[in-house]
Amino acid sequence: MKRRSFLKGALAGAGVTALGPEAFAAGQPVDNRKISSIPFPQKRPMITYSDRPPLLESPRYVFAHPVTPNDMFFVRWHMPDIPTHIDLGTFRIKVNGLVERELSLSVDQLKHDFEPVEVYAVLQCGGNSRSAFKPTAGGIQWGSGAMGCARWKGVRLRDILERAGLKKEAEWVGFNGSETAAYYETPNFVRELHLEEIGDHVIVAYEMNGEDLPYLNGYPVRLVIPGTYSDSWVKMLSNLTVTSDYQHLFFMDKAYRVPDNDCECQKPGEHVPTKPITKMNVKSFIGYPTNGETLYHNSYATIRGVAFDYGAGIKAVMLSFDDGKTWQEATLGDDMGRYAFRAFTYDFKPKKYGKQTIMAKAINRAGEEQPFAKDIKWNHGGYKFNGIDVVTVEVV
Amino acid sequence: MKKTIFAALLSLGALNLHAVLNEDVEVPYVPFEIKMGKHFDLVQANCLTCHSFGYILNQGKQSRSFWKEKVEKMVDAFKAPITKEDQALITDYLAEQYGNGQP
């Protein structure tokens, strides 16, 4: 067989098995979206997808640092009515259901009657980077800034449950926040956790980076579940109900789910059994330089970014300057705990002029590593994208 | 003197931190540029009750069946009281203005 005809045959074959790359894969998420000129309360201007409910994304440069400032931290609510006034004098977190003692706790009681704990943890929307999927997956077409890392301070959820005393039939805890729908019949944004999922790392947080939680990030208290996607981190937490049986819930049963198969993927239009998105997969993101930035020939530039996973911890971040043919190891920053952003840096000296791509790939301690974006298979909700990040700069 | 100023600044900082506590928070209105088209009035009447136009146009271009399912989800899952007739016309608008040409 002549080389040319062999290639032709191979290409046709690949086309058949892969259904065409565009039909069943991912590219790079949309980047460099315009920052709105309208700032939200306690926030600097951010990429703004909606004002009601508020949906705000952090621009790329925020991820040049391992701690995301509160006023640049992404925002995602589900319901239109968020209380616009919270009086700490009357605000209570209620604990009821299958408990020995019902509790009604003020934020002050949370702060003073329990042992305070702190954890650096990444909060990431399950649909972060959704705009990478082709064809367009359902949902807001987020770039990659629907994530952030903060130092959360609060109380262990276990300590609260212990104070209430669980009855022996207790199995599940349902969490309800203060946001409400426009219609009475709309299901509340409730999440449930099985008691087995509630380790010491799960906290009810009242502080973020040393300040009260910003209003839009769930003031005065929110659930913090390190390692898992943010759909479970209920904001403006007002009620915990302990039950013996799982209560059927829209947001756990219908939304925030991926195909229940090894690739967590499906063909567009195909209906398959699904499972909830829970543990975050390994991911990295370059904060500097950003797309379109100018670097200087033969002159050092420090590439900066962050990497994280579900809590195994980051082992290495590798960078490529030749489209993934060879990889160089970046220097990791301080380890702020297994749920935190791990900063990485690399002193890069561009040796050629013109367009230069920079790729970042994280590898965790469990040996899991990020795939190329083109190898990520499609799912209907555009969830859990963790393709290798690519930034293109101009070397002059 | 220096000490007093510092203390005053500190307490001012503490006040700012609790600003949320003392007054109503105002979330700004963002004028998203939505496309005008046939049956836009129904979109305005039925969809804006729960979400901004940004929530529509930031879904990207989608198939007619995607938009049909979204409208049905608003009714079935979120209990929006939209008549069958309006559902069909809203779907037409969405497929027309934010469609990708797919059925």
Side-chain angles (χ1 to χ4, degrees):
Chain A
M1 193 192 255
K2 281 183 183 156
R3 185 174 156 76
R4 185 176 293 252
S5 61
F6 169 76
L7 273 175
K8 235 179 175 175
L11 280 173
V16 170
T17 49
L19 285 167
E22 310 88 342
F24 196 52
Q28 283 298 308
V30 175
D31 194 35
N32 279 353
R33 272 211 176 88
K34 193 171 162 275
I35 293 169
S36 169
S37 56
I38 304 173
F40 277 58
Q42 299 171 294
K43 297 283 172 185
R44 277 183 265 171
M46 295 175 71
I47 299 163
T48 303
Y49 294 98
S50 170
D51 51 338
R52 203 170 52 93
L55 303 178
L56 311 174
E57 179 180 320
S58 314
R60 182 183 280 273
Y61 70 83
V62 168
F63 304 103
H65 304 281
V67 178
T68 312
N70 288 1
D71 63 1
M72 285 300 266
F73 209 99
F74 91 100
V75 170
R76 197 274 189 256
W77 290 79
H78 293 81
M79 297 296 171
D81 293 326
I82 307 168
T84 52
H85 183 101
I86 291 188
D87 177 0
L88 284 197
T90 55
F91 185 89
R92 294 289 182 274
I93 303 114
K94 299 213 162 77
V95 184
N96 51 31
L98 295 173
V99 292
E100 300 294 344
R101 291 164 295 279
E102 291 201 349
L103 303 180
S104 175
L105 302 165
S106 68
V107 176
D108 213 44
Q109 279 175 293
L110 272 190
K111 286 181 179 173
H112 298 108
D113 297 358
F114 294 86
E115 185 192 348
V117 290
E118 284 188 279
V119 63
Y120 280 101
V122 176
L123 178 70
Q124 181 188 209
C125 174
N128 191 27
S129 314
R130 177 179 288 131
S131 57
F133 287 92
K134 306 278 183 293
T136 308
I140 296 293
Q141 297 303 303
W142 296 101
S144 296
M147 63 174 187
C149 176
R151 179 164 50 93
W152 309 93
K153 183 176 180 183
V155 174
R156 284 182 209 94
L157 175 58
R158 270 189 166 171
D159 291 352
I160 297 175
L161 295 175
E162 215 158 274
R163 176 93 37 122
L166 296 176
K167 292 195 170 163
K168 66 174 192 304
E169 318 89 89
E171 292 267 348
W172 293 87
V173 187
F175 303 88
N176 197 1
S178 307
E179 59 181 320
T180 54
Y183 301 108
Y184 179 72
E185 297 84 0
T186 306
N188 278 329
F189 188 76
V190 174
R191 295 292 295 185
E192 283 185 65
L193 290 177
H194 192 267
L195 287 180
E196 281 179 359
E197 298 173 85
I198 305 174
D200 279 348
H201 63 304
V202 180
I203 67 174
V204 173
Y206 46 76
E207 259 185 37
M208 182 173 167
N209 294 328
E211 294 175 2
D212 288 351
L213 292 177
Y215 168 72
L216 289 169
N217 294 108
Y219 180 87
V221 287
R222 78 175 301 165
L223 200 56
V224 166
I225 314 173
T228 69
Y229 288 101
S230 64
D231 56 300
S232 298
W233 298 38
V234 176
K235 293 183 285 300
M236 280 190 188
L237 182 64
S238 54
N239 197 286
L240 280 63
T241 304
V242 182
T243 58
S244 56
D245 296 310
Y246 173 74
Q247 313 293 304
H248 290 276
L249 304 161
F250 173 79
F251 286 98
M252 284 185 82
D253 299 343
K254 300 272 170 56
Y256 294 115
R257 295 176 77 89
V258 286
D260 189 9
N261 53 34
D262 286 345
C263 66
E264 298 183 336
C265 71
Q266 69 203 120
K267 292 171 194 160
E270 181 186 31
H271 291 273
V272 293
T274 58
K275 62 185 174 189
I277 58 166
T278 49
K279 281 183 0 177
M280 298 193 291
N281 47 20
V282 64
K283 190 165 179 167
S284 67
F285 196 60
I286 298 165
Y288 176 84
T290 59
N291 273 305
E293 207 137 4
T294 300
L295 298 189
Y296 294 94
H297 182 256
N298 237 359
S299 169
Y300 278 115
T302 302
I303 295 163
R304 293 175 188 279
V306 294
F308 63 101
D309 71 343
Y310 54 87
I314 295 301
K315 188 170 83 183
V317 176
M318 309 300 289
L319 299 181
S320 177
F321 304 96
D322 55 8
D323 300 317
K325 287 193 268 297
T326 61
W327 295 89
Q328 324 296 324
E329 193 162 355
T331 306
L332 296 182
D334 289 345
D335 185 350
M336 303 190 300
R338 63 200 191 107
Y339 299 115
F341 273 159
R342 189 78 191 260
F344 66 84
T345 56
Y346 184 88
D347 289 331
F348 175 52
K349 200 176 191 180
K351 293 287 187 197
K352 57 172 188 153
Y353 289 99
K355 293 241 179 297
Q356 169 72 60
T357 57
I358 304 166
M359 290 180 161
K361 170 172 79 171
I363 303 162
N364 72 2
R365 291 186 185 126
E368 293 154 333
E369 66 178 70
Q370 283 180 265
F372 285 105
K374 66 175 173 54
D375 295 329
I376 289 187
K377 302 296 186 214
W378 195 84
N379 68 77
H380 71 284
Y383 292 124
K384 300 183 73 171
F385 176 86
N386 72 333
I388 289 172
D389 190 30
V390 185
V391 160
T392 306
V393 297
E394 190 75 28
V395 179
V396 297
Chain B
M1 181 62 193
K2 255 186 186 161
K3 218 173 195 173
T4 352
I5 292 172
F6 185 61
L9 280 175
L10 264 183
S11 65
L12 204 68
L15 269 180
N16 282 340
L17 223 94
H18 291 281
V20 171
L21 215 150
N22 302 321
E23 52 192 273
D24 278 7
V25 180
E26 250 181 79
V27 174
Y29 167 75
V30 179
F32 288 98
E33 285 178 30
I34 190 147
K35 292 181 192 170
M36 293 297 137
K38 205 173 165 194
H39 307 309
F40 172 72
D41 56 325
L42 293 176
V43 172
Q44 195 164 32
N46 286 289
C47 308
L48 271 191
T49 316
C50 294
H51 60 76
S52 68
F53 289 140
Y55 218 90
I56 296 173
L57 54 91
N58 284 309
Q59 302 275 328
K61 294 214 178 289
Q62 296 282 3
S63 67
R64 171 173 282 273
S65 59
F66 172 91
W67 286 120
K68 183 170 180 286
E69 277 174 35
K70 277 277 158 159
V71 174
E72 283 167 0
K73 177 175 150 188
M74 297 305 140
V75 176
D76 297 341
F78 295 113
K79 312 298 176 194
I82 310 175
T83 64
K84 278 271 177 228
E85 198 190 353
D86 282 2
Q87 287 179 47
L89 298 174
I90 291 168
T91 303
D92 284 348
Y93 163 88
L94 292 167
E96 182 78 18
Q97 304 302 330
Y98 294 99
N100 62 8
Q102 300 296 310

